[in-house]
């Protein structure tokens, strides 16, 4: 009887190992409001980091990029079992409806309140003061999370915010700012500088700190709350933990930001991998 049991156990293990070795890669749709590649090259840093992470798990996952607006990508994630998004902020609302990687794929300095030709505004102020004391109309992008606190404030004070949908319309907000059609926008300083480096009158642009200030903002990978999504999250976390990917991201972040912000960003990113 023991012999039969031993033979059965050996055959079972061999069958399991065989099925694991021959198992098909996980199929995942990555939805994004940017085309992931142009002329064979990634268009943004977060896409580069994602593609590098995928290299670490390329035998276990197949990725199909699908263009989608910010609003549509979150709807698809909640409706379909095999959708992932990347470079997304974690908020309590999002975590209730999606699975997130433990480790970030991107880090940014905190958003700034960017104003044009307003020299008398203080260098630092809260959004509450911005709308109540200075009566500013602030441009934001619909479907984007700026942080849990800022998102809640926008929701509770919608009449003071001008909203445009889609990442391609984010540049329109800056144009409206230069045309004095809105008083301010919420954006990352370096994103704005890169976007309008050739624009006239940039000397009249100011980057105000939004109180309370944050040291850094992280972007994560988010996936459908499903078995496929859970499997994808585990694979992505393993890839992000690899020394090659972690070092690549950290090194590139040190090149992206100027000296005043560089140290803070790198320390925050590295600390995110310690916990």
């Amino acid at each position: 009887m023991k012999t039969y049991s031993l033979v059965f156990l050996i055959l079972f293990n061999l069958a399991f190992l065989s099925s694991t070795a021959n198992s098909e890669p996980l199929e995942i749709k990555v939805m994004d409001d940017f085309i992931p590649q142009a002329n064979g090259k990634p268009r943004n840093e977060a896409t580069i980091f994602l593609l590098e992470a995928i290299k670490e798990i390329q035998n276990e996952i197949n990725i199909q990029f699908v263009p989608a607006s910010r609003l549509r990508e979150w709807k698809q994630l909640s409706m379909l079992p095999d959708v992932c998004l990347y470079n997304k902020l974690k908020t309590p609302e999002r975590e209730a409806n999606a699975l997130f990687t433990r480790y970030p794929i991107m880090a940014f300095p905190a958003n700034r309140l960017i104003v044009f030709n307003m020299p008398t505004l203080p260098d630092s102020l809260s959004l509450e003061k911005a709308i109540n004391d200075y009566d500013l109309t602030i441009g934001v992008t619909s479907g984007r999370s700026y942080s849990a606190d800022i998102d809640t404030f926008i929701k509770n004070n919608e009449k003071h915010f001008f909203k445009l949908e889609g990442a391609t319309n984010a540049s329109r907000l800056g144009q409206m700012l230069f045309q004095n059609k809105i008083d301010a926008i919420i954006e990352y300083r370096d994103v704005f500088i890169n976007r309008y480096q050739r624009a006239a009158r940039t000397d009249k642009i100011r980057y105000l700190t939004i109180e309370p200030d944050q040291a850094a903002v992280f972007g994560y990978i988010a996936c459908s709350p499903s078995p496929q999504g859970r499997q994808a999250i585990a694979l992505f976390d393993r890839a992000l933990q690899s020394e090659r990917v972690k070092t690549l991201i950290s090194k590139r972040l040190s090149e992206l930001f100027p000296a005043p912000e560089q140290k803070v960003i790198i320390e925050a990113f590295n600390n995110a991998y310690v916990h």
Side-chain angles (χ1 to χ4, degrees):
M1 193 69 178
K2 290 182 178 178
T3 302
Y4 285 120
S5 298
L6 181 60
V7 171
F8 176 79
L9 183 60
I10 292 172
L11 291 174
F12 177 82
N13 287 335
L14 287 173
F16 176 78
L17 291 172
S18 177
S19 65
T20 302
N22 297 322
S23 60
E24 294 294 324
L26 179 67
E27 300 288 340
I28 290 294
K29 300 180 184 71
V30 172
M31 296 198 173
D32 189 22
D33 52 7
F34 283 104
I35 300 171
Q37 290 183 291
N39 300 322
K41 297 181 180 180
R43 289 184 56 176
N44 56 69
E45 300 299 331
T47 306
I48 293 172
F49 300 156
L50 177 68
L51 293 174
E52 290 297 331
I54 291 170
K55 287 181 184 178
E56 292 290 318
I57 51 176
Q58 59 185 344
N59 294 327
E60 301 172 73
I61 193 167
N62 279 338
I63 297 296
Q64 176 191 1
F65 282 93
V66 180
S69 68
R70 282 197 173 109
L71 293 177
R72 181 172 177 265
E73 65 187 14
W74 284 106
K75 289 181 180 178
Q76 294 293 89
L77 182 143
S78 64
M79 294 170 58
L80 301 175
D82 57 350
V83 171
C84 289
L85 318 176
Y86 66 102
N87 200 21
K88 300 302 180 184
L89 271 64
K90 285 184 184 179
T91 66
E93 182 180 0
R94 287 180 172 182
E95 288 188 278
N97 299 288
L99 303 174
F100 281 82
T101 52
R102 177 180 178 183
Y103 303 104
I105 195 171
M106 190 67 182
F108 297 94
N111 281 289
R112 297 296 182 229
L113 189 67
I114 303 177
V115 297
F116 172 68
N117 201 24
M118 290 190 174
T120 60
L121 287 178
D123 293 332
S124 176
L125 77 168
S126 67
L127 290 178
E128 184 174 5
K129 286 185 177 180
I131 65 172
N132 291 329
D133 295 357
Y134 298 98
D135 195 29
L136 300 185
T137 298
I138 303 169
V140 293
T141 304
S142 294
R144 172 178 169 181
S145 176
Y146 292 91
S147 76
D149 291 339
I150 292 177
D151 293 348
T152 300
F153 187 86
I154 293 173
K155 185 177 179 179
N156 293 336
N157 298 274
E158 289 191 344
K159 67 178 182 179
H160 292 277
F161 291 87
F162 179 84
K163 296 182 180 181
L164 283 179
E165 181 181 345
T168 55
N169 281 330
S171 61
R172 283 185 56 202
L173 290 175
Q175 294 165 8
M176 292 177 68
L177 181 68
F178 281 112
Q179 295 165 358
N180 293 312
K181 293 181 178 179
I182 52 178
D183 302 311
I185 65 173
I186 300 176
E187 186 54 275
Y188 298 117
R189 181 179 183 272
D190 291 278
V191 168
F192 188 91
I193 289 174
N194 289 333
R195 185 176 288 155
Y196 300 103
Q197 55 187 321
R198 297 180 181 177
R201 300 178 294 167
T202 53
D203 58 317
K204 296 186 181 297
I205 289 290
R206 295 177 61 207
Y207 306 92
L208 312 182
T209 298
I210 300 174
E211 299 173 352
D213 193 18
Q214 294 177 283
V217 178
F218 296 123
Y220 296 85
I221 298 173
C223 295
S224 302
S226 66
Q228 295 98 312
R230 193 171 300 279
Q231 187 178 350
I233 288 294
L235 289 172
F236 281 127
D237 263 330
R238 195 180 80 205
L240 292 171
Q241 272 187 293
S242 72
E243 198 61 36
R244 184 187 71 84
V245 174
K246 186 170 62 173
T247 301
L248 182 149
I249 297 175
S250 182
K251 182 177 184 298
R252 182 58 184 145
L253 289 177
S254 69
E255 298 167 352
L256 284 175
F257 302 108
E261 296 174 327
Q262 182 187 99
K263 183 179 179 181
V264 173
I265 293 298
I266 298 305
E267 285 184 356
F269 179 80
N270 290 337
N271 286 336
Y273 276 77
V274 172
H275 304 295

